[in-house]
Amino acid sequence: MVAFLLAWDAIAVALLTFGVVASPSPDLVDWGRFAILAGCATVHIQLTRRQEERRRNRVTAVHIDLTGIWVFPAALLLPIPLTLLLIALLRVQRWFNSRRPPHKFVFTSFTHAVSALLAHHLYQTFASAELARLSPANSLQVFGILMLVGFSYAALQAIVIGGLLALGGTSAPTLRNVLGTKDDNLLELSTISLGTIATILLVNIPPAIVILVLITVLGNRLAEINQLQSEARTDPKTGIFNVRGWSESAERALARAARGGETLALLMIDLDHFKWINDTYGHPAGDDVLRTVAQTLDEITRPKDIIGRFGGEEFLILLPDVDSTAAKVTAERIRTAIADQRIVTTDKRGGSALITGRTASIGVALLGANGTTLEQLLQAADAAVYTAKEGGRNQVRFADANLPSE
């Protein structure tokens, strides 16, 4: 991770130096646009300072900064030196809000700057002339090009910052934590879209860009509300659904299955002798095991399967469109995957430790055969887990004795 960070910083310095040297000198129009963007961005940052601070403190991995709304049009329309000056101005203000480790803050700032450099050159190559003669005839083409440039701008940041997170920048390098959740990516898309609108306004109706300040302030507040709603449905240790979030999604899936006469299975996964891990290695090691199991479940299940933490060392998975045979195959795959895990963690003294050979007892309940409501399926799966534990643990049991077991 350190090597990646230092290498990227060196590459960024070289690219930005070349960009500054090759850039033309700013004229009065450029300085006017810079002043407008800097003023709007500063007002935005100061009016949302508290919300942004709370949002950052709740995030353990990817964080979407809405100031991209102002950086993106600067990247397209301004000479590189003015774009970098704007980024520096915004990042300095963000520093007093975020108080993140300096090396990570510098890394992120360089990433934003290189992304802006990429967007600038793409815009100058493909869209600059078209935007200058914007008309109804070419408006769709211009908007499409601007959005593609915006996608490139965001994609470079996602790849570079995601690479750092994957190499150790987050304690749980899951796909969600590295590349962001669906909500994170939708927020990034919204930021680029508003940045595109800001670009068009700045070229054609500069005073109208002030309207975007109100929109960005509202956007920050909506982002915080969405984050709070997500947290209310998410287990903080594992990043998957908690009981509330899982139950809401599972109820909807169950209703769809009932209406369509479809099959459905519920798996309850109970980690065997989990208390021994906490007693032997300490609770931080137990948390590492829970996170690793959650990550494994996310990797080996389908996108439409609903995963949640039931509490303690128990997990739940709802499997839509699955019959008894497919449910058994899935449950056995999960049981084997958990048994094969090699979890690098720490012991009670903070030293390195490796946890292997952990097992799980899995209970399976089927819609119709074991109940028609979520509560009935949970009770049936829970009973099957106890059967598995009484039978020696590390096995799959179905709630109905007439269905396949072992």
Side-chain angles (χ1 to χ4, degrees), residues 52-311:
E52 186 69 13
E53 186 175 359
R54 289 193 293 265
R55 283 183 64 226
R56 284 181 179 273
N57 289 337
R58 296 190 190 100
V59 173
T60 57
V62 176
H63 175 78
I64 306 302
D65 192 337
L66 298 184
T67 55
I69 293 171
W70 314 110
V71 173
F72 184 60
L76 304 190
L77 300 176
L78 302 183
I80 295 302
L82 286 187
T83 301
L84 297 183
L85 180 60
L86 179 67
I87 292 174
L89 175 65
L90 303 190
R91 297 298 291 170
V92 166
Q93 293 183 72
R94 280 294 190 224
W95 165 252
F96 289 105
N97 294 341
S98 64
R99 297 292 187 180
R100 289 296 183 253
H103 64 281
K104 289 186 178 181
F105 191 82
V106 170
F107 174 86
T108 305
S109 299
F110 274 142
T111 304
H112 289 175
V114 174
S115 299
L117 180 64
L118 172 65
H120 177 82
H121 285 293
L122 289 175
Y123 169 78
Q124 292 298 326
T125 303
F126 298 107
S128 178
E130 294 295 331
L131 185 59
R133 56 174 183 268
L134 183 64
S135 67
N138 72 344
S139 59
L140 183 60
Q141 177 187 358
V142 171
F143 185 75
I145 294 174
L146 290 177
M147 288 302 294
L148 287 175
V149 173
F151 175 80
S152 301
Y153 168 82
L156 180 60
Q157 294 183 53
I159 292 170
V160 175
I161 295 176
L164 183 74
L165 292 172
L167 291 172
T170 176
S171 58
T174 62
L175 191 62
R176 288 165 55 93
N177 284 346
V178 169
L179 295 180
T181 64
K182 180 180 72 174
D183 289 341
D184 292 332
N185 288 287
L186 285 175
L187 185 59
E188 181 71 21
L189 178 62
S190 300
T191 300
I192 297 303
S193 300
L194 288 173
T196 301
I197 295 172
T199 301
I200 297 171
L201 290 177
L202 200 57
V203 171
N204 296 280
I205 321 174
I209 200 173
V210 176
I211 298 172
L212 289 181
V213 176
L214 301 177
I215 295 175
T216 54
V217 171
L218 178 61
N220 259 90
R221 297 194 177 187
L222 291 176
E224 183 182 17
I225 291 172
N226 184 66
Q227 188 180 49
L228 290 170
Q229 291 174 334
S230 178
E231 287 178 358
R233 305 171 70 245
T234 303
D235 175 57
K237 285 187 179 179
T238 60
I240 60 177
F241 281 134
N242 58 18
V243 175
R244 174 183 173 181
W246 183 87
S247 298
E248 291 174 354
S249 297
E251 287 285 7
R252 290 193 292 269
L254 186 63
R256 287 193 298 269
R259 287 195 303 269
E262 301 167 354
T263 56
L264 181 145
L266 189 153
L267 273 56
M268 181 176 288
I269 303 159
D270 193 311
L271 303 182
D272 296 328
H273 303 298
F274 183 76
K275 185 176 183 297
W276 177 84
I277 297 174
N278 286 332
D279 293 342
T280 304
Y281 297 97
H283 286 84
D287 291 345
D288 286 339
V289 171
L290 293 174
R291 279 191 289 268
T292 304
V293 170
Q295 181 178 350
T296 299
L297 296 179
D298 185 59
E299 290 172 350
I300 64 178
T301 53
R302 305 168 299 173
K304 65 179 178 180
D305 297 334
I306 304 170
I307 308 168
R309 184 181 173 205
F310 192 48

Side-chain angles (χ1 to χ4, degrees), residues 5-16:
L5 186 149
L6 294 176
W8 174 249
D9 285 351
I11 292 171
V13 169
L15 290 173
L16 295 173

